[in-house]
Amino acid sequence: MIHGGTTLRGEVEISGAKNAAVAIIPAALMVDGVCVIENMPQISDTEMLLTILRELGARIRFLNRSTVEIDCRNVCMQDAPYDLMRKIRASYYLIGAMLGRFGHAKTTMPGGCNFGVRPIDQHIKGMNALGADVDVKAGFVYADARDGKLHGARIYLDKVSVGATMNIILAATLAQGRTIIENAAREPHIVDLANFLNSMGADIRGAGTDTVKVNGVEKLHGGSYAIIPDQIEAGTYMVAAAATGGEVLIKNVIPRHLECISAKLRETGTIVLENGDTVLVKGASSLRKINVKTLPYPGFPTDMQPPMCALLCVAGGTSVITEGVYDNRFKYVNELRKMGAEIQVDGRVAVVEGGHRLSGAPVMACDLRAGAAMVIAGMCASGTTVVEDVRFIERGYENFVGKLNALGADIHIVDEREESDGRDKILTMIG
Ligand code: UD1
């Protein structure tokens, strides 16, 4: 429950990157030794992946709040907790990691946020090229290395895909010979996965460019690694500071990863100052309209599209948002309309008539980033907003409510209780 009309001020510390962590945890499956991973974000997606590894036989121990020790030496190929796998998108990384370690894999088709059709054909194309047969049957993915081991290959991705790039890197790490991935995605978390694997003995070059070369190695050894800060979490606080007209110092970031977000915020009139591993965001007294198009990195991230849309609802003038990555990522717009936002959607384009004062309403967090957008809109609105299904937000933001309240927001988790089937949490208003 959000009491709106607050202005964010102060400092916020950014956690480790979700999309790096969710690949690095499966990568630990391939390590013949103990991995100590620092800056692990405390979010439900990483908790679920750690649980999956534990159920496969890994020894997992938190050394402090954000440092986890993972020992997968005794993991054996057995039936995994498929109910958990089904809930997260990143479970697809277990295909590459298990193929690398065991020569075969069985996972569920990935879950995650629903932005329309999200195929994994490019992952499968990559695994096929490396010498694995892949079958999708009754919601499961079965992958088998044809001669028990993968072999390096040249793979051209028909679509720039973060998941396929990282999954092929995982599978190729312990393959025989050299793999070349062309038209690879270039996101910071791809570089982070490659750096993690290289620090454990892999030989991966070119991550962060559109051609990644993986020279297969015999085995990986244990070691320590710190995950990079989360680009999207940082961007969300930047947008929240700007939308509420506040002033927030965002700490523990890599400003280069935020340039695409900083550039668009500056166009709205927001001041963004980079200094070392911080950015200072000072909101303008009145925000200006902008046009945004989401693209693979270094373009404006699709995951920042819903938070930016919430900001543009309170900016002056008409803004145009073009979604360049997914077919259907504007479903949440209906929720913003309940708060008085005027937004027209036609396919992949949303036209936002800004300048309206939003008013609090009961809304849904349709997915992870849409949930964050609802919270930002709620802070800008007059009155009270109740966001339901906050479990989506917990998938990817560590202590979201605590961090925002420390900046001056007025947000309460009202009542969280288990539904009778014991799985889904629901948020109900009381009093
Ligand atoms: C990852 C991120 C997600 C982010 C997205 C784009 C994780 C766990 N999730 O998702 O937060 O929004 O990158 O930055 O890291 N596609 C295909 N075939 C494939 C794979 C993808 O057609 O085999 C399409 C997708 O439907 C989408 C586009 O390619 O239209 C990009 O998807 P991709 O980069 O693969 O996103 P994810 O890895 O699923």
Side-chain angles (χ1 to χ4, degrees):
M1 183 192 284
I2 302 152
H3 296 294
T6 50
T7 300
L8 299 186
R9 289 187 194 286
E11 299 182 359
V12 64
E13 188 89 26
I14 297 307
S15 304
K18 163 188 172 281
N19 287 347
V22 296
I24 286 175
I25 296 170
L29 255 186
M30 301 196 297
V31 177
D32 190 14
V34 178
C35 307
V36 176
I37 305 170
E38 293 167 36
N39 217 19
M40 177 65 70
Q42 299 262 320
I43 50 177
S44 62
D45 268 21
T46 55
E47 278 161 20
M48 279 194 255
L49 278 164
L50 288 170
T51 306
I52 292 171
L53 251 57
R54 189 178 279 125
E55 296 207 8
L56 288 170
R59 199 177 52 78
I60 290 168
R61 198 159 64 101
F62 270 89
L63 305 181
N64 60 42
R65 231 181 136 267
S66 59
T67 305
V68 63
E69 187 182 77
I70 306 180
D71 180 355
C72 289
R73 281 174 295 185
N74 293 321
V75 165
C76 55
M77 188 60 193
Q78 58 189 343
D79 270 357
Y82 297 114
D83 277 355
L84 280 181
M85 279 189 189
R86 219 167 260 125
K87 286 188 179 166
I88 43 176
R89 178 118 199 110
S91 58
Y92 51 39
Y93 293 129
L94 292 164
I95 305 172
M98 284 179 167
L99 265 178
R101 164 103 189 230
F102 305 111
H104 51 110
K106 178 184 170 191
T107 68
T108 61
M109 279 296 278
C113 298
N114 180 0
F115 314 137
V117 189
R118 295 179 78 181
I120 59 163
D121 57 303
Q122 298 303 305
H123 302 237
I124 295 174
K125 174 181 172 175
M127 302 306 155
N128 286 156
L130 294 172
D133 291 325
V134 182
D135 244 349
V136 180
K137 271 191 300 212
F140 287 92
V141 181
Y142 300 85
D144 274 291
R146 283 189 281 275
D147 62 3
K149 184 113 185 101
L150 299 177
H151 298 275
R154 199 175 190 110
I155 299 154
Y156 174 83
L157 294 178
D158 300 316
K159 204 142 190 196
V160 178
S161 160
V162 171
T165 303
M166 309 243 269
N167 219 350
I168 297 168
I169 290 176
L170 285 166
T173 292
L174 295 174
Q176 275 170 359
R178 168 183 272 214
T179 297
I180 299 176
I181 309 169
E182 290 171 320
N183 200 25
R186 294 178 283 166
E187 268 67 3
H189 29 285
I190 294 171
V191 180
D192 209 39
L193 173 67
N195 286 344
F196 167 80
L197 289 165
N198 284 343
S199 73
M200 309 280 150
D203 182 358
I204 302 163
R205 297 159 196 215
T209 75
D210 59 10
T211 306
V212 181
K213 296 182 179 139
V214 185
N215 294 312
V217 295
E218 282 281 306
K219 65 186 239 175
L220 299 178
H221 54 72
S224 297
Y225 190 77
I227 295 175
I228 51 166
D230 196 303
Q231 175 205 29
I232 306 298
E233 189 197 12
T236 303
Y237 287 102
M238 291 168 75
V239 168
T244 62
E247 181 168 333
V248 176
L249 183 69
I250 296 158
K251 295 164 78 172
N252 182 35
V253 295
I254 299 176
R256 191 166 34 86
H257 296 166
L258 303 174
E259 268 163 18
C260 36
I261 302 163
S262 305
K264 296 313 287 184
L265 278 178
R266 288 189 184 113
E267 286 181 24
T268 67
T270 303
I271 294 172
V272 182
L273 301 171
E274 298 165 3
N275 185 12
D277 65 352
T278 67
V279 289
L280 178 65
V281 178
K282 292 188 194 185
S285 52
S286 63
L287 292 164
R288 291 193 292 267
K289 68 184 174 84
I290 57 166
N291 295 337
V292 195
K293 179 166 186 179
T294 69
L295 289 168
Y297 190 81
F300 188 83
T302 173
D303 287 354
M304 284 304 302
Q305 184 252 96
M308 188 55 109
C309 183
L311 175 144
L312 294 177
C313 290
V314 297
T318 304
S319 299
V320 179
I321 305 174
T322 308
E323 172 56 48
V325 177
Y326 290 109
D327 295 333
N328 191 359
R329 201 170 186 172
F330 284 121
K331 276 183 289 178
Y332 69 90
V333 156
N334 272 335
E335 303 304 304
L336 287 176
R337 287 187 184 126
K338 291 179 189 166
M339 301 175 73
E342 284 197 22
I343 307 170
Q344 303 303 320
V345 176
D346 186 3
R348 286 175 164 226
V349 178
V351 177
V352 184
E353 298 288 346
H356 298 281
R357 185 81 205 264
L358 299 176
S359 50
V363 292
M364 300 286 294
C366 305
D367 60 60
L368 166 57
R369 308 302 172 185
M374 292 309 136
V375 174
I376 292 173
M379 291 189 294
C380 295
S382 58
T384 302
T385 297
V386 176
V387 183
E388 284 195 42
D389 255 343
V390 291
R391 69 197 160 104
F392 282 117
I393 302 177
E394 290 163 353
R395 282 192 38 220
Y397 291 92
E398 179 175 318
N399 189 21
F400 196 44
V401 169
K403 288 186 186 184
L404 286 171
N405 282 345
L407 293 171
D410 185 353
I411 309 177
H412 305 269
I413 297 287
V414 186
D415 177 28
E416 230 179 337
R417 59 189 163 85
E418 299 291 312
E419 260 185 345
S420 50
D421 67 1
R423 272 184 289 122
D424 292 325
K425 289 175 184 169
I426 57 164
L427 181 79
T428 46
M429 248 182 94
I430 51 166

